[in-house]
Amino acid sequence: MLYYIFRFLEQYNIPGSHMWQYVSFRALLTLILSLVLSAWLGEKFIKYMRKRKIGETQRDASIDPFGVKKIGTPSMGGIVIIIAILLPVLLLGRMRNIYIILMVITTVWLGFLGFCDDYIKIFRKHKDGLKGKYKIVGQVSIGLIVGLVLWLSPDVVMHENVETVHKATQETVVVHKNAPEKSLKTTIPFVKNHNLDYGSLTSWMGKASGAAGWALFVIMTILVVTAVSNGANLNDGMDGMCAGNSAIMGVALGILAYVSSHLEYASYLNIMYIPGTQELVVFMCAFVGALIGFLWYNAYPAQMFMGDTGSLTIGGIIGVCAVIIHKELLVPILCGVFLMESLSVIIQTQVYKYYKRKGQKVRVFRSTPIHDNFRKLDKDLAPDSKYVLRNWPRDKFHEAKITTRFWIFTIILAAFTIITLKIR
């Protein structure tokens, strides 16, 4: 909104109006505004929820060896995060940008899905909340919408990167095609030319290979959005855990979005040049600012939880942003913490089911998701079960230490994700 107002005022030579053209200026302003708004709304939200005695009903001291009681702590704090993202973006973003529109739709869609889940848990007193199949349908639907829009919208184009040999110096240089075009290429790590073309995987289908390639891209979009959204949901089990990890991922994605939108940086890193993705920097700054402001109250000991309203939305935002900038194949590295959480649950569940059919009770980890494994005490383990990793880790850690170490691990993964762009 403000971008268009000051762009109009610029023709009258109003001092300072030209500043709003710069993405760096709007992005940093968005970061500050979202952070302050999140912290301010957080205080109001906590008071409102406590006054009406609306709080967490699932978490209690039985899952925490240090006996921290969490029942009654205000939940659904994801509402604060969503508002703190959307308001600054609506004020400072270019709302005609197709990528911003997709991010806003994703935020609202998954925010509503998570809100329904939290509402059923807290107000209807159903422990499991919204049925899993409905969550999956909601996540798949937004992934399908995003994938189809990226396929069919004429505004979604890129300039493919091409390596050529300079005639005078005989050095290999990276240039970008002059004409923007629809493309099925995506960045792949650890490979010299950096690109994977979905179309090449369906070339055997002849005339239908183009449509089949885009269909494969849409399926990949659905998988990424669903997987990251569920991973963030599983990671939200300790104070500050999901918010801190996601903020770090948001910084990395903001950097990747910026270099993808900058012709010189894209050439230097040998990645696709995608015009318009600079607006994702504004959105990701709002995302990071909202999460940092939320941490003001969510850091240990938490005064409020984000609930599924926040975690499902956060994961979806990360997944959609990665797909838009064609970095979805970097998600397993960047979101390594979310991947570990999901894999730990899958492994634990499948191993338990397998041995249960044989009349045995076998578990791999002390507890899942994996972050709970680091605080589970021997006295809390089922006496009739066998644990493959019973003695790992040897020491049990406080929730705050586990959270901080997961943050550090995510920082390393985020840095490594960016480094992969230069690893040939």
Side-chain angles (χ1 to χ4, degrees):
M1 183 186 301
L2 293 179
Y3 168 81
Y4 296 104
I5 293 175
F6 281 98
R7 186 177 177 182
F8 171 77
L9 294 176
E10 187 177 357
Q11 62 183 321
Y12 298 104
N13 297 319
I14 303 298
S17 57
H18 69 285
M19 290 291 295
W20 295 81
Q21 294 183 11
Y22 297 102
V23 173
S24 56
F25 173 75
R26 289 188 289 117
L28 291 176
L29 197 59
T30 302
L31 176 68
I32 296 171
L33 180 58
S34 60
L35 195 158
V36 173
L37 184 60
S38 180
W40 179 75
L41 285 175
E43 182 182 7
K44 303 295 182 183
F45 182 82
I46 292 170
K47 289 180 179 179
Y48 177 86
M49 298 293 275
R50 283 179 175 172
K51 184 177 180 180
R52 286 158 179 75
K53 298 181 179 180
I54 304 171
E56 181 64 58
T57 60
Q58 305 298 320
R59 306 184 194 188
D60 56 30
S62 66
I63 64 170
D64 190 341
F66 298 94
V68 179
K69 296 181 179 179
K70 297 188 177 183
I71 289 181
T73 302
S75 188
M76 302 174 74
I79 295 173
V80 173
I81 297 173
I82 292 171
I83 295 174
I85 292 173
L86 294 180
L87 284 183
V89 168
L90 292 174
L91 281 173
L92 302 171
R94 294 175 58 184
M95 295 311 300
R96 295 178 183 175
N97 182 282
I98 185 62
Y99 304 124
I100 284 285
I101 294 172
L102 281 177
M103 296 302 289
V104 169
I105 292 173
T106 299
T107 303
V108 174
W109 186 291
L110 291 177
F112 177 74
L113 183 68
F115 176 82
C116 292
D117 185 64
D118 288 334
Y119 181 86
I120 293 172
K121 287 178 182 176
I122 296 174
F123 294 96
R124 297 293 180 86
K125 307 299 180 183
H126 289 292
K127 182 179 179 180
D128 296 328
L130 190 66
K131 290 183 178 181
K133 62 181 180 180
Y134 295 129
K135 285 185 183 180
I136 294 297
V137 169
Q139 293 165 329
V140 169
S141 297
I142 189 62
L144 179 62
I145 291 171
V146 171
L148 289 176
V149 169
L150 293 177
W151 175 6
L152 301 173
S153 173
D155 296 328
V156 179
V157 293
M158 71 165 68
H159 298 257
E160 293 184 6
N161 51 316
V162 181
E163 289 187 351
T164 61
V165 177
H166 194 278
K167 292 182 179 180
T169 63
Q170 296 300 308
E171 293 182 353
T172 301
V173 295
V174 178
V175 297
H176 287 87
K177 295 181 178 179
N178 292 328
E181 57 187 18
K182 306 288 290 185
S183 176
L184 281 169
K185 288 187 177 181
T186 188
T187 299
I188 184 171
F190 313 119
V191 177
K192 184 173 178 59
N193 61 17
H194 271 298
N195 293 338
L196 171 69
D197 191 340
Y198 290 112
S200 65
L201 301 178
T202 59
S203 58
W204 55 274
M205 299 184 69
K207 294 181 179 180
S209 61
W214 278 107
L216 181 61
F217 170 78
V218 172
I219 293 172
M220 177 61 74
T221 301
I222 293 172
L223 291 175
V224 170
V225 173
T226 304
V228 180
S229 183
N230 283 324
N233 188 231
L234 291 172
N235 188 235
D236 181 33
M238 291 185 177
D239 298 349
M241 175 73 80
C242 185
N245 287 325
S246 300
I248 296 165
M249 296 172 193
V251 172
L253 285 172
I255 293 172
L256 293 175
Y258 182 73
V259 297
S260 296
S261 69
H262 196 288
L263 182 58
E264 292 183 3
Y265 290 148
S267 297
Y268 175 71
L269 294 171
N270 194 5
I271 58 177
M272 289 80 71
Y273 167 51
I274 312 174
T277 55
Q278 66 271 14
E279 288 304 310
L280 289 179
V281 181
V282 176
F283 189 95
M284 295 314 294
C285 278
F287 177 74
V288 172
L291 290 175
I292 295 174
F294 181 76
L295 275 173
W296 188 271
Y297 301 102
N298 186 240
Y300 183 88
Q303 296 170 265
M304 68 172 169
F305 302 132
M306 66 172 66
D308 283 17
T309 307
S311 60
L312 292 179
T313 306
I314 286 171
I317 288 172
I318 292 172
V320 171
C321 183
V323 169
I324 287 175
I325 59 177
H326 293 257
K327 302 295 181 289
E328 64 272 15
L329 297 183
L330 298 179
V331 164
I333 303 174
L334 177 62
C335 303
V337 166
F338 293 168
L339 179 62
M340 287 192 307
E341 301 278 30
S342 298
L343 287 178
S344 68
V345 172
I346 294 171
I347 292 171
Q348 186 89 319
T349 303
Q350 294 306 313
V351 169
Y352 184 81
K353 288 181 178 179
Y354 175 78
Y355 281 98
K356 188 177 181 181
R357 290 194 293 267
K358 296 183 177 184
Q360 303 176 44
K361 292 185 177 180
V362 178
R363 294 178 171 88
V364 177
F365 305 101
R366 291 167 167 266
S367 182
T368 55
I370 193 65
H371 61 258
D372 277 333
N373 185 70
F374 296 98
R375 65 175 176 181
K376 199 77 169 182
L377 298 177
D378 287 340
K379 65 182 181 65
D380 299 321
L381 302 181
D384 59 342
S385 295
K386 178 182 177 181
Y387 293 86
V388 178
L389 299 176
R390 185 184 185 92
N391 297 321
W392 180 77
R394 293 185 179 276
D395 297 323
K396 305 305 167 289
F397 303 102
H398 192 279
E399 180 174 334
K401 182 179 287 291
I402 297 171
T403 297
T404 303
R405 289 185 175 180
F406 269 61
W407 290 354
I408 294 171
F409 186 58
T410 301
I411 291 172
I412 295 172
L413 291 176
F416 188 66
T417 300
I418 298 173
I419 290 173
T420 59
L421 298 182
K422 289 302 294 180
I423 296 178
R424 298 294 194 270

